[in-house]
Amino acid sequence: MKPKYFLFVLGCQMNKSDAERLETILEQIGYEKTSREDKADFIGVVSCAVRQSAMDRIYGKIRSWNLIKEKRPLITMLTGCVLKKDKEKLKYHFDILLDIKDIQKLPEELKKRNAQLGDFIPTTSYLSLKPKYESKFKAYVPIMTGCNKFCTYCAVPYTRGFEISRPAEEIYQEVKELIDQGYKEITLLGQNVNSYGNDTIDKRSPNYGKKLPTFPELLHEINSWPGDFWLRFITSHPYDMSDELIEVMAERNHLAEYLHLPVQSGSDEILRKMNRYYTVDHYLERLEKVRQAIPEISISTDIIVGFCGETEQQFAETAKLMEKVGYDMAYIARYSPRPGTAAARAFPDDVPAEIKKEREKILTEILKKTALAFNKKFIGQTTEALVEGTKKGKLIGKNRQFKTVTFPGSKELVGQFVKVKITDATAWGLNGEIA
Ligand code: SAH
Ligand code: SF4
């Protein structure tokens, strides 16, 4: 019988994508996936350091996993985004600790414990591994790892290191294969996709001195290919949101009319303390340009409430910005100090938890209002949705603008594009029937 593995994946899409590559490694050496952690011989954690809550969940789990070890053999591994401080603490609880970029060393580590495992054929970098995609019709393709921005609140540059872009040919090949296999939605992934290729001038990068396309060039290339698919990308940084990128987005074609552009705060003073490199005016000017080029675009954002020293007035500026932009979606987070980051070292976390909660609530109310107004515009129109699954007996999918669309229909349509006539809208989505 094959040994079984269970993966506990926390955090963002990048982690989910990394887990798909980790599955390839484990299955190549002879493991088989299980969805039951109590049946697993190997448990791998792909962790997230962005918020404390993810870390707390790992501390909660590891105790029970270590209890299992008293009854039967179990190997545990920690990878993903882990801050130095957590690494120091957790190294006594896990059998294996590996940086995600060293994940190809896992077979060697496992073979030390189980000589019967099969051989693994390593590739130049873990991103070159062929992933075991979770879905048969939508795929996430990482184009780079790491981040050089060093926003003061953020753990990512510490846990993932500096930016490294994947060779363009490798990205093209992965995307081509997906299109050939009939994948309908491809999302290019990176912490800051707009700086793709910039590491060619960074002496620390393996791409130093190489000729790589810019992100708009990369996007334009894929967008010009034949096929029946949508193309998306996350995440963009407002500082690098160039005119060239907006021009390529305006080509539309495969590129869906959706942009995730995290603003974080509506106060210039807070943005400066966050080391975000832009002002509110710059952000609004970029957005204006995007909307002029693609009027039907939907916009989402990330916002942090209760960042160090955020006053009532500064928070009110964020609320004002949200009203002004009229976001379709916003991922609102309460500031959580991450040990080792510049903000955690330099500024006290002085906004009380209750106030953070209250501020989050206020922004959510604004979001509900603006998102509903945008969604109502769809009523009476026909929109195309990629059906992702079923929920409460209905089909559920996303349209090009990343709106959730719910409608009655047969399960065979999962993974297909379907035209839907919209009859009703809420803040969080659209309802309709097949057109
Ligand atoms: N690279 C992306 C996002 C990275 S993390 C970007 O630059 O936008 C995803 C989101 O988590 C961030 O946009 C931010 O809103 C939130 N986040 C990051 N660190 C945080 C912290 N310490 N406390 C609260 N939210 C945080
Ligand atoms: Fe973190 Fe800022 Fe880099 Fe995004 S751009 S990953 S928020 S440091």
Side-chain angles (χ1 to χ4, degrees):
M1 231 177 39
K2 285 182 166 188
K4 294 195 170 43
Y5 74 90
F6 173 84
L7 295 184
F8 187 56
V9 186
L10 294 154
C12 66
Q13 205 52 60
M14 195 77 189
N15 274 8
K16 290 185 188 134
S17 175
D18 286 345
E20 292 179 340
R21 282 171 165 78
L22 178 54
E23 290 195 10
T24 303
I25 297 180
L26 289 163
E27 295 193 9
Q28 217 183 87
I29 60 174
Y31 275 91
E32 178 179 79
K33 190 174 180 172
T34 174
S35 55
R36 293 196 41 188
E37 55 186 88
D38 59 327
K39 294 270 186 259
D41 303 286
F42 170 84
I43 297 181
V45 177
V46 184
S47 112
C48 167
V50 167
R51 285 183 211 121
Q52 186 55 37
S53 54
M55 251 15 243
D56 293 343
R57 287 180 66 191
I58 298 172
Y59 281 107
K61 288 270 184 195
I62 191 66
R63 289 192 186 90
S64 62
W65 294 338
N66 283 336
L67 284 177
I68 298 178
K69 285 185 195 165
E70 288 172 16
K71 293 185 211 131
R72 62 177 178 88
L74 167 70
I75 306 169
T76 56
M77 175 200 64
L78 177 66
T79 186
C81 288
V82 195
L83 280 165
K84 210 167 135 205
K85 192 171 162 231
D86 289 309
K87 226 179 242 176
E88 288 301 311
K89 279 197 220 160
L90 286 166
K91 69 180 178 202
Y92 303 106
H93 297 282
F94 283 89
D95 302 305
I96 304 169
L97 242 79
L98 278 177
D99 270 3
I100 191 71
K101 48 183 185 302
D102 297 329
I103 203 69
Q104 303 204 68
K105 291 184 186 150
L106 178 61
E108 209 178 292
E109 289 294 326
L110 290 173
K111 274 193 155 189
K112 280 186 209 160
R113 295 159 172 94
N114 178 357
Q116 271 158 31
L117 289 169
D119 286 332
F120 171 68
I121 311 141
T123 53
T124 42
S125 115
Y126 89 95
L127 286 179
S128 317
L129 285 165
K130 211 172 153 42
K132 224 185 127 240
Y133 301 104
E134 199 186 306
S135 160
K136 294 266 179 291
F137 54 88
K138 54 184 236 176
Y140 294 89
V141 177
I143 64 165
M144 60 197 297
T145 62
C147 184
N148 293 358
K149 283 281 188 288
F150 284 90
C151 301
T152 54
Y153 51 81
C154 185
V156 172
Y158 302 93
T159 59
R160 285 196 172 261
F162 57 86
E163 274 167 15
I164 302 176
S165 303
R166 249 179 113 185
E169 286 314 317
E170 203 178 282
I171 299 168
Y172 293 150
Q173 197 188 334
E174 188 176 340
V175 175
K176 272 210 175 90
E177 281 174 16
L178 288 165
I179 299 167
D180 289 347
Q181 286 167 36
Y183 273 76
K184 296 280 186 287
E185 184 187 83
I186 290 154
T187 305
L188 305 180
L189 276 186
Q191 292 301 339
N192 179 18
V193 285
N194 333 45
S195 53
Y196 175 83
N198 286 358
D199 53 318
T200 53
I201 52 165
D202 185 340
K203 284 198 172 139
R204 297 167 300 179
S205 168
N207 288 319
Y208 177 61
K210 275 190 203 157
K211 172 116 187 63
L212 287 183
T214 62
F215 181 59
E217 285 166 351
L218 184 97
L219 215 49
H220 172 74
E221 172 64 26
I222 300 174
N223 201 32
S224 64
W225 293 349
D228 189 20
F229 65 96
W230 290 347
L231 184 60
R232 303 187 191 275
F233 56 90
I234 44 171
T235 299
S236 306
H237 191 292
Y239 176 81
D240 299 315
M241 190 72 217
S242 65
D243 286 349
E244 290 76 16
L245 177 56
I246 299 171
E247 274 161 34
V248 176
M249 289 176 74
E251 291 172 4
R252 296 178 180 77
N253 198 24
H254 302 299
L255 267 166
E257 294 77 13
Y258 169 69
L259 175 67
H260 182 60
L261 197 62
V263 68
Q264 311 299 357
S265 169
S267 147
D268 283 342
E269 178 56 23
I270 293 288
L271 287 175
R272 199 185 55 75
K273 273 173 88 171
M274 287 176 164
N275 195 31
R276 287 290 288 180
Y277 295 94
Y278 57 83
T279 58
V280 173
D281 279 350
H282 172 85
Y283 181 88
L284 290 172
E285 185 271 326
R286 292 288 83 195
L287 214 52
E288 184 55 34
K289 194 131 197 183
V290 171
R291 280 179 161 162
Q292 260 169 20
I294 314 141
E296 69 279 32
I297 200 159
S298 80
I299 310 279
S300 65
T301 200
D302 289 349
I303 289 180
I304 299 177
V305 290
F307 184 65
C308 315
E310 185 187 68
T311 62
E312 275 299 327
Q313 175 56 32
Q314 287 164 337
F315 168 70
E317 288 176 53
T318 303
K320 199 170 118 204
L321 176 83
M322 273 197 78
E323 294 267 9
K324 191 164 181 173
V325 172
Y327 286 107
D328 290 285
M329 188 58 201
Y331 303 90
I332 304 161
R334 300 175 212 162
Y335 172 63
S336 138
R338 310 311 301 127
T341 57
R345 278 182 274 131
F347 316 121
D349 174 24
D350 52 3
V351 177
E354 271 310 301
I355 304 238
K356 284 181 187 165
K357 209 168 146 189
E358 184 57 31
R359 290 181 183 176
E360 182 189 7
K361 214 171 122 201
I362 294 169
L363 296 189
T364 307
E365 288 307 314
I366 298 174
L367 172 66
K368 274 192 202 160
K369 204 175 62 184
T370 56
L372 179 63
F374 185 91
N375 289 353
K376 276 192 170 162
K377 291 188 191 153
F378 283 93
I379 296 178
Q381 289 188 19
T382 297
T383 191
E384 195 172 25
L386 173 60
V387 185
E388 294 185 350
T390 55
K391 196 175 175 189
K392 292 185 187 153
K394 287 196 173 168
L395 295 179
I396 185 159
K398 288 261 190 319
N399 73 357
R400 286 175 70 100
Q401 282 116 326
F402 210 58
K403 293 281 172 192
T404 303
V405 186
T406 313
F407 55 99
S410 137
K411 269 202 294 217
E412 274 93 77
L413 291 172
V414 172
Q416 309 277 325
F417 289 124
V418 176
K419 291 212 161 58
V420 184
K421 177 128 201 248
I422 302 304
T423 51
D424 186 25
T426 67
W428 311 127
L430 312 170
N431 301 314
E433 48 208 35
I434 296 177

